[in-house]
Amino acid sequence: MFPIAQNLKDVRAAIAAAAHRARRDPGSVRLVAVSKTVDLSLIRAAVDAGQDLFGENYLQEARDKIAVLGRPVSWHLVGHLQSNKAREAVALFDLIHAVDRLKLARALDAAAARQGKVQDVLIQVNQAGEATKSGVDPAAAPALLQEVARLPHLRVLGLMTMPPWFPDPEAARPYFQALRALQDHLRGLTGLPLTELSMGMSGDFAVAVEEGSTLVRVGTAIFGSRG
Ligand SMILES: *Cc1c(COP(=O)(O)O)cnc(C)c1O
């Protein structure tokens, strides 16, 4: 079997096993194949192996790939986004994972209004307060969510986080638990459904699924190292 197909099979099996351990329906977890810097031929191999959801970080790169591969597959923006790129992001992506400030949310709302679209978004939370990572401080998340929820052309589906990197995936578990707890708190506070939790990458997606992830963002475990 082509390595990409085998890798996908292994990742899906690991997701299903983690879901079963947590008594969750494996169908409640979607696999976002993060294809930043990955060659078109490898993405095609993933599509051929049945993968229908991809995550990208860079607009220019995503635009070129989407132009070729089109929309039989779904595209998510998983990385940081500048407000001045909102128009293009709204044109390209079904879900934007990393909304972390009101200025960006307003730019996305305005772009979506012009494009006649309601844009699905997640709020990115920076739980460890890492200066190198984007994301709203957990304490500021309720206020941001309430502002964003008022924007008529955005629909907030849930939260996203990227914990610090640890060699042992177990060390990420408290961050995943904290994100889920924050989501439960925000659901109670706002009455919004908030069904999506974007958490877990190649090194720790199984732990994230055990803790309630609905969107795992996996790159290297599918496509190999980005070099
Ligand atoms: C690159 C990236 C991923 C995938 O990381 P891997 O460790 O290769 O699985 C997930 N989420 C975000 C936001 C990324 O930038």
Side-chain angles (χ1 to χ4, degrees):
M1 200 187 286
F2 198 75
I4 300 279
Q6 183 63 51
N7 293 349
L8 275 167
K9 205 168 162 228
D10 293 347
V11 169
R12 288 188 194 125
I15 290 171
H20 284 304
R21 282 196 295 278
R23 299 188 159 71
R24 299 185 54 201
D25 171 10
S28 66
V29 186
R30 281 187 292 164
L31 172 59
V32 183
V34 177
S35 48
K36 61 173 175 249
T37 76
V38 170
D39 227 68
L40 219 46
S41 60
L42 297 186
I43 302 177
R44 276 216 182 86
V47 174
D48 290 345
Q51 179 63 28
D52 62 359
L53 170 57
F54 292 87
E56 288 283 336
N57 289 59
Y58 312 109
L59 289 188
Q60 164 90 53
E61 190 189 326
R63 183 201 311 140
D64 295 346
K65 288 174 179 169
I66 295 171
V68 178
L69 291 168
R71 296 179 182 281
V73 298
S74 177
W75 298 89
H76 290 187
L77 181 65
V78 298
H80 179 76
L81 176 62
Q82 293 170 286
S83 301
N84 63 5
K85 306 262 175 68
R87 183 191 60 77
E88 177 139 47
V90 167
L92 290 175
F93 295 104
D94 298 317
L95 179 63
I96 295 173
H97 286 229
V99 174
D100 61 356
R101 57 206 188 280
L102 191 55
K103 183 186 177 200
L104 172 60
R106 286 200 174 116
L108 290 168
D109 181 64
R114 278 194 294 274
Q115 296 175 38
K117 180 180 182 184
V118 173
Q119 177 67 53
D120 288 339
V121 300
L122 305 177
I123 303 286
Q124 182 180 3
V125 181
N126 185 355
Q127 282 154 322
E130 290 176 287
T132 53
K133 286 197 184 130
S134 22
V136 64
D137 186 275
L144 178 63
L145 174 64
Q146 281 170 323
E147 296 272 15
V148 175
R150 272 199 281 275
L151 299 173
H153 295 89
L154 296 189
R155 187 169 61 151
V156 188
L157 301 186
L159 305 181
M160 177 269 211
T161 199
M162 211 171 159
W165 187 86
F166 301 104
D168 175 8
E170 276 301 321
R173 190 182 295 276
Y175 295 90
F176 299 145
Q177 290 171 334
L179 194 73
R180 187 176 56 181
L182 179 61
Q183 172 123 305
D184 290 345
H185 171 68
L186 292 173
R187 200 185 289 123
L189 192 72
T190 62
L192 295 168
L194 301 181
T195 53
E196 302 294 333
L197 279 175
S198 170
M199 54 189 201
M201 300 167 44
S202 289
D204 56 18
F205 67 84
V207 175
V209 167
E210 288 172 7
E211 296 303 334
S213 176
T214 66
L215 289 161
V216 291
R217 311 179 309 268
V218 179
T220 4
I222 297 170
F223 297 110
S225 101
R226 286 181 288 274

